[in-house]
Amino acid sequence: KNIQLELGTSPTNFEVYDSTEYVRVNGVALRTVQGVADTYEASTGKITRNIGIRHLIGSASETWENHTYSTYSSYKIGLPNKKLGFQTSVCSHFENVTQSWASNNIGVYSDNVGDARCYFKEPNDTVTNLEEFKLYLSEQNANGTPVILWYQLATPTTEQV
């Protein structure tokens, strides 16, 4: 059964919750990606992080590389402690599809079963190389709409709140 809490006395239609951030504990966000979630133990104040987050801003410190598969090109970035497998991440600006590197689709990316990288295709028809892709990321960040990637961690981390 679906339950929705309402603020005030006027009921609204039920809305399915659709977000990577689902609750805040003492001002700290707990996140979920594809059914895997951070957890909070109230009695100890311990948060177990199962989800990593990365703002992709096109800076020189990001380790972007060109990737070529057959006649298709894409741009890949490694993520520390990222769980291997398809559909283990969610992105704010790109759709996660299986094997994006083997297509000419735009606005998509993929996880990989063989390494802890994500493979991104061009966001639009005007981006044609890695430098333009990094410029796109930088512009999104400067406009206050950074490209954000939430991903399942291979090994959970813990922190106290």
Side-chain angles (χ1 to χ4, degrees):
K1 183 169 183 161
N2 295 326
I3 298 173
Q4 178 170 292
L5 298 176
E6 298 286 346
L7 181 61
T9 58
S10 300
T12 60
N13 291 332
F14 178 75
E15 296 178 25
V16 175
Y17 192 78
D18 184 26
S19 176
T20 56
E21 187 174 304
Y22 65 94
V23 69
R24 287 191 172 269
V25 176
N26 294 336
V28 178
L30 300 179
R31 297 179 175 88
T32 182
V33 171
Q34 307 293 359
V36 174
D38 294 338
T39 60
Y40 173 67
E41 178 58 49
S43 63
T44 63
K46 182 176 92 171
I47 292 178
T48 300
R49 292 280 182 206
N50 293 296
I51 306 301
I53 184 170
R54 178 82 180 263
H55 289 73
L56 305 173
I57 60 173
S59 71
S61 65
E62 293 177 347
T63 54
W64 287 99
E65 300 174 64
N66 283 303
H67 177 74
T68 302
Y69 176 82
S70 184
T71 61
Y72 307 109
S73 65
S74 59
Y75 316 110
K76 63 184 178 180
I77 187 168
L79 299 162
N81 195 21
K82 183 184 180 301
K83 182 178 179 179
L84 303 182
F86 291 124
Q87 300 297 322
T88 58
S89 67
V90 174
C91 185
S92 59
H93 289 59
F94 293 80
E95 179 185 359
N96 192 338
V97 300
T98 301
Q99 297 180 336
S100 65
W101 57 84
S103 77
N104 282 325
N105 295 336
I106 60 172
V108 298
Y109 81 103
S110 293
D111 301 304
N112 194 349
V113 297
D115 62 36
R117 291 187 177 97
C118 287
Y119 294 75
F120 287 79
K121 296 296 286 184
E122 294 79 8
N124 54 50
D125 290 330
T126 63
V127 173
T128 61
N129 60 53
L130 180 56
E131 290 310 309
E132 290 174 355
F133 181 74
K134 289 165 61 174
L135 179 61
Y136 165 83
L137 296 174
S138 177
E139 289 171 346
Q140 292 302 306
N141 188 53
N143 291 336
T145 57
V147 176
I148 304 172
L149 187 69
W150 296 268
Y151 57 96
Q152 295 175 14
L153 296 175
T155 304
T157 62
T158 60
E159 61 189 71
Q160 287 295 131
V161 291

